[in-house]
């Protein structure tokens, strides 16, 4: 297993082939679920326009078909709690979309449990549509005793509901593999309302709240004796000294002190509040802004990614990095391995990298892998060491991918030149497979474009002529044909006849270009003005410095 690795492929196969038993410290997954529509990946235009291009990445992902039935059969035949859970689901749900989803998730959860260390945890992010079924499945895989939390994340501030309560939250199911799991207590800042409600008192030492110096019930020993004419027994209580405060200042010697001495010292430290009438004194707990309040299982202080946020990449299910920061910080340590088997736009791996963890990301589309590579480069720089496995590394590899999945081949080829696919609509094919936007302007930010056509089969001069027509029709600056075959002499002649695009910076670039897959694999790129750079993908925000995360030197 290689860490700091992006894998292209089915996560079930990748886990089985590459990830060894008990090698992962933390798993986070946000598996797609959509019952009545295609699952679309949206990429917002990097030039700032409101339009978006929709790429159909999953078509009826979770349908009851042969693959779902086979996954169900294999899991059920293994027996055990997971088998019984799936059989019960089938009785209740029938051969439905939801059963297909659960049947496909079950073997993946089993594999994830296999690769987790005994001290590891798993967080499954979902919505209320499937969360109750997934919890039962997780109980079967990990054991109900290893359920730790159902975490509620308020993902939006307002959402109107038609004849129902407005749906504003996601659910994150948190399980550990055993009862000996990694846990780091994480604090979140006090809200102004919290401080106003609980820390209502002030003195020269600061803001404080009142706490008990006594506990319920009477005692006959030292803790039940009067101190400074105050007898807690009269109120049915006994002295309960907060030893932690004293130990922080005086160490273990506090253990040998009498109750009265402890109370005297607390009073000398100004930590006892004396009420004006003869009531029992109370302990003054001062506000420590640096500590904050420990995290809870209802998350309301992490906002969704706003439409104008720098973090927003245009991916519909993108989660805020702050949410993953909290999860990773709480359930792993620097140097640990974080795994996301449904990587999407890569928030979990970006957060893991930022926090000094090792990581493994898996996704089934080259489109997502391309987006993740750009995100890592934009955030951490081109020198960031990581590996991508499952992508073609030779012409035969590319031919195999093209034969098995033409769309994936297109997405992979376009990713090699920093372009993104365009939406394919029936009856509306404009002869464009991808686009690349760039800026080369002096004094304004008008966006220029490169249009691309990707051909895995036989290519002729007719394809160049078609692309030239598209180039003129779309008023694009440059057109590129990506070809599996070497261009013929007539093709080169046609390309040359298109002339040049002259950049305002004084550079000339062929308007019609041909790049072969072999050339791309050798490092060839599109010849276009790069002084302002490729703006096709919205850039992820760059990590400013390593001071915020000293365990990860930038």
């Amino acid at each position: 297993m290689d860490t700091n690795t992006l894998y292209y492929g089915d996560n079930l196969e990748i886990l089985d082939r590459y990830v060894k038993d008990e090698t992962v410290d933390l798993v986070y997954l946000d598996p797609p679920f959509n019952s009545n529509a295609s699952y679309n990946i949206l990429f917002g235009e990097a030039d700032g326009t409101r339009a978006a291009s929709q790429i159909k990445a999953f078509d009826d992902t979770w349908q009851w078909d042969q693959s779902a039935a086979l996954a169900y059969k294999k899991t059920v035949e293994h027996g055990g709690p997971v088998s019984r859970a799936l059989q019960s689901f089938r009785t209740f749900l029938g051969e439905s979309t939801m059963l297909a989803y659960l049947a496909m998730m079950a073997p993946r959860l089993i594999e994830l449990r296999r690769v987790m260390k005994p001290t590891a945890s798993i967080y499954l992010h979902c919505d209320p549509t499937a969360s109750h079924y997934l919890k039962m499945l997780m109980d079967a895989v990990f054991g109900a005793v290893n359920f730790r939390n159902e975490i509620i994340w308020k993902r939006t501030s307002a959402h109107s509901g038609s004849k129902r309560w407005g749906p504003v939250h996601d659910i994150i199911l948190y399980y550990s593999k055993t009862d000996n799991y990694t846990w780091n207590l994480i604090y979140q800042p006090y809200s102004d309302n919290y401080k106003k409600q609980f820390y209502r008192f002030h003195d020269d030492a600061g803001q404080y709240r009142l706490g008990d110096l006594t506990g319920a019930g009477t005692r006959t020993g030292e803790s039940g004796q009067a101190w400074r004419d105050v007898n807690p027994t009269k109120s049915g209580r006994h002295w309960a000294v907060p030893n932690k405060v004293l130990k922080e200042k005086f160490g273990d010697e506090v253990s040998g002190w009498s109750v009265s001495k402890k109370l005297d010292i607390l009073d000398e430290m100004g930590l006892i509040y004396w009420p004006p009438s003869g009531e029992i004194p109370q302990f003054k707990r001062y506000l420590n802004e640096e500590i904050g309040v420990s995290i809870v299982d209802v998350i309301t202080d992490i906002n969704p990614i706003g439409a104008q946020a720098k973090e927003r990449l245009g991916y519909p299910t993108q989660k805020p990095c702050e949410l993953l920061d909290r999860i990773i910080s709480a359930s792993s340590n620097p140097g640990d391995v974080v795994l996301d088997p449904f990587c999407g736009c890569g928030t979990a791996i970006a957060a893991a990298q930022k926090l000094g963890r090792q990581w493994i990301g898996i996704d089934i589309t080259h489109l997502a892998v391309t987006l993740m590579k750009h995100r890592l480069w934009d955030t951490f720089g081109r020198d960031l060491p990581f590996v991508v496995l499952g992508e073609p590394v030779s012409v035969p590899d590319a031919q195999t991918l093209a034969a098995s999945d033409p769309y994936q081949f297109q997405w992979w080829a376009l990713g090699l030149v920093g372009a993104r696919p365009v939406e394919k609509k029936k009856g509306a094919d404009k002869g464009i497979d991808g686009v690349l936007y760039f800026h080369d302007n002096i004094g304004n930010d008008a966006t220029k474009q490169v249009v691309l056509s990707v051909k895995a089969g036989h290519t002729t001069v007719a394809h160049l002529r078609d692309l030239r027509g598209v180039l003129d029709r779309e008023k694009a600056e440059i057109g590129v044909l990506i070809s599996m075959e070497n261009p013929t002499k007539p093709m080169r002649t046609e390309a040359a006849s298109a002339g040049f695009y002259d950049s305002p910076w004084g550079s000339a670039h062929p308007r019609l270009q041909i790049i072969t897959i072999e050339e791309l694999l050798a490092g060839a790129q599109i010849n276009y003005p790069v002084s302002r750079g490729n703006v096709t993908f919205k850039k992820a925000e760059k990590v400013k410095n390593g001071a915020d995360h000293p365990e990860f030197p930038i």
Side-chain angles (χ1 to χ4, degrees):
M1 175 189 70
D2 293 311
T3 51
N4 288 14
T5 301
L6 295 176
Y7 290 93
Y8 159 70
D10 185 328
N11 51 33
L12 188 61
E13 297 175 6
I14 297 297
L15 289 167
D16 178 63
R17 182 176 178 182
Y18 292 104
V19 187
K20 296 179 181 179
D21 294 359
E22 300 187 350
T23 53
V24 172
D25 297 280
L26 174 62
V27 176
Y28 170 84
L29 64 159
D30 183 12
F33 175 76
N34 198 19
S35 56
N36 297 313
S38 297
Y39 183 77
N40 292 303
I41 296 178
L42 311 180
F43 288 97
E45 303 290 351
D47 61 4
T49 62
R50 295 174 61 86
S53 177
Q54 294 191 352
I55 309 300
K56 185 182 291 186
F58 298 88
D59 187 10
D60 297 327
T61 306
W62 310 110
Q63 293 297 314
W64 186 260
D65 54 17
Q66 279 190 330
S67 61
L70 182 60
Y72 174 89
K73 181 176 181 292
K74 286 183 176 179
T75 307
V76 166
E77 288 178 351
H78 272 89
V82 181
S83 171
R84 294 192 294 272
L86 282 184
Q87 292 178 67
S88 298
F89 286 142
R90 188 168 189 172
T91 300
F92 177 62
L93 297 169
E95 295 177 353
S96 62
T97 298
M98 184 63 75
L99 181 63
Y101 179 60
L102 297 169
M104 298 296 278
M105 284 301 300
R108 287 162 173 79
L109 290 172
I110 292 169
E111 274 294 289
L112 290 170
R113 186 184 185 281
R114 175 187 65 80
V115 304
M116 288 166 60
K117 293 178 182 178
T119 54
S121 298
I122 181 170
Y123 290 79
L124 194 159
H125 197 133
C126 54
D127 67 31
T129 306
S131 61
H132 45 304
Y133 299 117
L134 286 168
K135 185 178 186 304
M136 295 174 70
L137 184 58
M138 294 279 279
D139 281 348
V141 174
F142 292 93
V145 295
N146 290 315
F147 168 71
R148 300 301 163 199
N149 282 105
E150 179 183 79
I151 301 167
I152 304 299
W153 173 49
K154 186 181 177 185
R155 57 175 169 77
T156 183
S157 56
H159 201 297
S160 60
S162 177
K163 295 185 179 181
R164 62 170 180 163
W165 302 81
V168 298
H169 77 278
D170 281 358
I171 291 170
I172 304 172
L173 300 174
Y174 166 35
Y175 283 73
S176 61
K177 187 171 183 178
T178 68
D179 61 359
N180 179 30
Y181 55 96
T182 298
W183 178 254
N184 302 310
L185 189 56
I186 304 299
Y187 295 93
Q188 61 193 70
Y190 293 114
S191 68
D192 291 337
N193 286 337
Y194 181 89
K195 289 185 286 187
K196 184 177 180 180
Q197 180 179 358
F198 293 102
Y199 289 87
R200 298 181 292 114
F201 303 98
H202 296 79
D203 61 17
D204 292 342
Q207 194 172 350
Y208 66 92
R209 63 185 295 181
L210 296 178
D212 287 330
L213 276 174
T214 60
T218 60
R219 300 286 189 271
T220 58
E222 189 181 4
S223 63
Q225 303 303 309
W227 173 71
R228 298 194 183 179
D229 297 327
V230 178
N231 187 351
T233 303
K234 290 181 179 180
S235 303
R237 301 180 69 80
H238 66 280
W239 295 114
V241 180
N243 288 314
K244 181 180 178 182
V245 176
L246 293 170
K247 284 188 175 182
E248 287 175 354
K249 184 174 180 62
F250 299 102
D252 291 338
E253 65 174 295
V254 171
S255 302
W257 292 356
S258 66
V259 171
S260 60
K261 181 176 180 178
K262 292 177 183 178
L263 291 169
D264 285 338
I265 296 296
L266 286 175
D267 197 25
E268 291 173 10
M269 293 171 66
L271 296 178
I272 292 182
Y273 170 78
W274 291 92
S277 57
E279 299 174 13
I280 293 178
Q282 292 178 279
F283 179 62
K284 295 162 71 171
R285 297 185 184 275
Y286 283 92
L287 176 64
N288 186 340
E289 294 276 11
E290 294 181 358
I291 293 180
V293 61
S294 59
I295 54 174
V296 295
D297 63 5
V298 177
I299 301 175
T300 59
D301 65 312
I302 297 178
N303 296 322
I305 302 172
Q308 304 303 318
K310 292 182 179 179
E311 182 182 349
R312 188 179 185 88
L313 299 177
Y315 196 91
T317 60
Q318 182 181 352
K319 303 303 184 293
C321 200
E322 187 179 357
L323 180 65
L324 273 299
D325 284 351
R326 184 169 297 179
I327 290 171
I328 292 170
S329 297
S331 292
S332 71
N333 296 310
D336 283 354
V337 177
V338 177
L339 165 66
D340 184 348
F342 292 92
C343 235
C345 65
T347 300
I349 63 173
Q353 179 68 48
K354 182 178 67 173
L355 293 171
R357 275 64 169 172
Q358 302 177 77
W359 50 264
I360 301 168
I362 308 171
D363 204 274
I364 200 168
T365 71
H366 282 293
L367 198 56
V369 172
T370 294
L371 185 62
M372 285 185 280
K373 288 192 294 185
H374 280 277
R375 181 175 190 171
L376 290 168
W377 287 330
D378 290 342
T379 305
F380 303 103
R382 287 273 176 168
D383 293 334
L384 178 70
F386 66 90
V387 177
V388 181
L389 294 181
E391 290 190 318
V393 294
S394 66
V395 172
D397 288 347
Q399 291 170 334
T400 299
L401 177 62
S404 63
D405 194 328
Y407 276 111
Q408 292 288 352
F409 169 75
Q410 278 188 11
W411 296 344
W412 165 74
L414 292 169
L416 291 179
V417 295
R420 67 163 174 78
V422 297
E423 182 179 7
K424 299 290 186 180
K425 292 182 178 179
K426 291 182 179 179
D429 187 352
K430 295 183 178 181
I432 304 174
D433 294 317
V435 292
L436 182 155
Y437 295 110
F438 67 93
H439 290 168
D440 68 344
N441 312 84
I442 300 174
N444 66 68
D445 282 330
T447 301
K448 310 290 181 68
Q449 69 171 326
V450 177
V451 294
L452 298 99
S453 176
V454 181
K455 301 297 181 185
H458 181 57
T459 50
T460 68
V461 69
H463 293 113
L464 262 296
R465 290 172 182 155
D466 290 343
L467 181 58
R468 186 170 182 176
V470 171
L471 183 66
D472 295 335
R473 183 190 71 215
E474 298 296 318
K475 296 181 172 57
E477 281 64 36
I478 295 170
V480 177
L481 174 67
I482 296 177
S483 171
M484 189 76 76
E485 295 184 341
N486 289 320
T488 62
K489 184 176 179 180
M491 291 173 66
R492 293 188 182 280
T493 301
E494 180 69 25
S497 70
F500 292 86
Y501 164 67
D502 295 316
S503 167
W505 298 97
S507 57
H509 309 272
R511 289 192 70 233
L512 208 56
Q513 302 177 26
I514 307 167
I515 306 178
T516 67
I517 292 297
E518 184 176 14
E519 290 170 335
L520 284 177
L521 289 170
Q525 287 293 303
I526 298 172
N527 183 349
Y528 73 102
V530 294
S531 57
R532 293 285 302 281
N534 183 344
V535 294
T536 304
F537 293 100
K538 187 177 185 300
K539 288 186 178 297
E541 190 173 10
K542 192 173 186 64
V543 172
K544 294 181 176 62
N545 55 63
D548 295 334
H549 303 282
E551 65 272 30
F552 177 74
I554 299 300

